[in-house]
Structure formats: C-alpha cells, structure tokens
Amino acid sequence: VKRQLQLKYVSIIFASVVLGALMVGGDIYYTMTHLILSENPSLAPMISQINNMLMFKLALYMGIIFLVSLFVSHRFAGPIYRFEKSCQSLSTGDLTHRVSLRTGDELMELQEEFNGMAAALQALVQKDRNLAARLSERVEEIAKRLPEGADHAREDLKSLKIELNHLTKSFKV
C-alpha cells in the first residue's frame, strides 16, 4: 500500500465525517441546551456533567471514525498502488504482466479492463512480431535470388532483415 496515498484518503474521509457530525451535532446540542437553560437555569450543573460525558464520547467516536476511514482507504490505496506498479511494468515492455487485486478490494472492474488492455496489446505485438518474421524470411529469400554482383542490394536487404528482427524485440510477449 502506498502510505502517502492512504494517508490522504484517511484525512479526507475522517475530516468529512467529523465536520459533518460536528456541524449537525453542534447545532442540535446548542439548540437543546439553549432551550433547556432558558426554561430551567438551575440545570446548568447537569449540563456541565453532560458536556464532560459528551467530550469523552466525542473522542471515542472520532477514534472509531479514524479506524473506519483507515480500513476504507486501505481498500482503495492498495489497488491504486498495484495499478501504478503494473503501469510501470507495462511501460518497460512487459506485456505479460497483469494486475492482481485481493478479493474484496475496490476497483475490480478496472482490473478486468486493464488486464484486457494488456492482453490486447500483447496480441497486437505478437501479430506484428509474426509479420516481421515472415517479412524477414521473404527478404532473405529475395537476397538469395539476387544475381552475382548485387552485393550492395544484398547488404541493404540484410540490413532491412536485421531491422525487421528488432522491430518488436523490446516487448515481452
């Protein structure tokens, strides 16, 4: 898992949930205490005790929210990290590489699409490699049929054959 990315997701999820809860909870709390104290000011000590209890519960809930956001972010950050590594493998020419996510991870549809793309690229490069091999053989046959004294043309064809053989060698298929 890419820790920096996971931390970013944890922060976003945690901040969003806490902000929403504080806004709604704070408004309800303010409204309720204002109404209670305006009706019965002698309940101020009880409100103070309630405040202490609520602060403890708030800290507990924030801890639970943090753990949940950590869990949720892990299910996204891990797959994103694997996709980054897979893109790096494909960019080096390894068309046999496939993304493999854990069961339960998010982005499974993207995994299927990515692996389908890699398979399609692999098939295209294999097709081009086969075509280059056939063309290379034909170039060699043509070079053999050239008459004596056509050394320059034979060298050009030999050079062309070498280029054809290197056409898709940088790909692993």
Side-chain angles (χ1 to χ4, degrees):
V1 174
K2 192 173 186 179
R3 294 288 175 211
Q4 184 179 11
L5 181 64
Q6 185 176 14
L7 209 58
K8 181 180 176 182
Y9 279 115
V10 167
S11 301
I12 290 170
I13 294 168
F14 183 74
S16 299
V17 172
V18 167
L19 182 64
L22 288 177
M23 285 174 52
V24 172
D27 186 41
I28 291 170
Y29 176 76
Y30 174 78
T31 304
M32 295 294 286
T33 55
H34 184 69
L35 286 173
I36 291 170
L37 289 176
S38 67
E39 291 291 320
N40 194 347
S42 64
L43 293 176
M46 184 187 291
I47 297 291
S48 180
Q49 287 178 341
I50 291 172
N51 286 344
N52 292 336
M53 187 181 356
L54 286 177
M55 286 302 174
F56 173 75
K57 286 184 175 184
L58 182 62
L60 180 66
Y61 294 152
M62 289 178 77
I64 291 170
I65 291 169
F66 178 77
L67 291 176
V68 169
S69 64
L70 188 65
F71 174 75
V72 169
S73 71
H74 187 76
R75 295 191 53 175
F76 281 97
I80 291 171
Y81 179 72
R82 284 191 197 86
F83 276 108
E84 286 177 358
K85 290 297 179 189
S86 295
C87 288
Q88 290 170 358
S89 291
L90 253 61
S91 71
T92 64
D94 182 4
L95 300 178
T96 62
H97 182 81
R98 299 296 183 266
V99 176
S100 179
L101 300 179
R102 298 172 300 209
T103 304
D105 276 342
E106 297 298 326
L107 307 176
M108 293 301 272
E109 295 86 11
L110 183 58
Q111 170 193 303
E112 293 171 13
E113 290 296 323
F114 185 91
N115 289 341
M117 174 195 67
L121 285 172
Q122 185 179 14
L124 286 172
V125 169
Q126 186 62 50
K127 181 180 170 186
D128 288 349
R129 185 175 281 177
N130 293 341
L131 176 62
R134 286 194 310 272
L135 289 174
S136 179
E137 290 171 8
R138 289 194 59 208
V139 165
E140 189 172 343
E141 290 171 9
I142 292 170
K144 287 179 182 176
R145 288 186 291 185
L146 286 176
E148 294 291 325
D151 293 334
H152 185 65
R154 195 172 280 113
E155 289 300 318
D156 285 347
L157 288 173
K158 190 183 285 186
S159 174
L160 180 60
K161 180 182 175 190
I162 291 170
E163 287 182 44
L164 283 170
N165 288 336
H166 290 319
L167 190 62
T168 60
K169 291 295 181 192
S170 61
F171 291 105
K172 181 180 175 186
V173 285

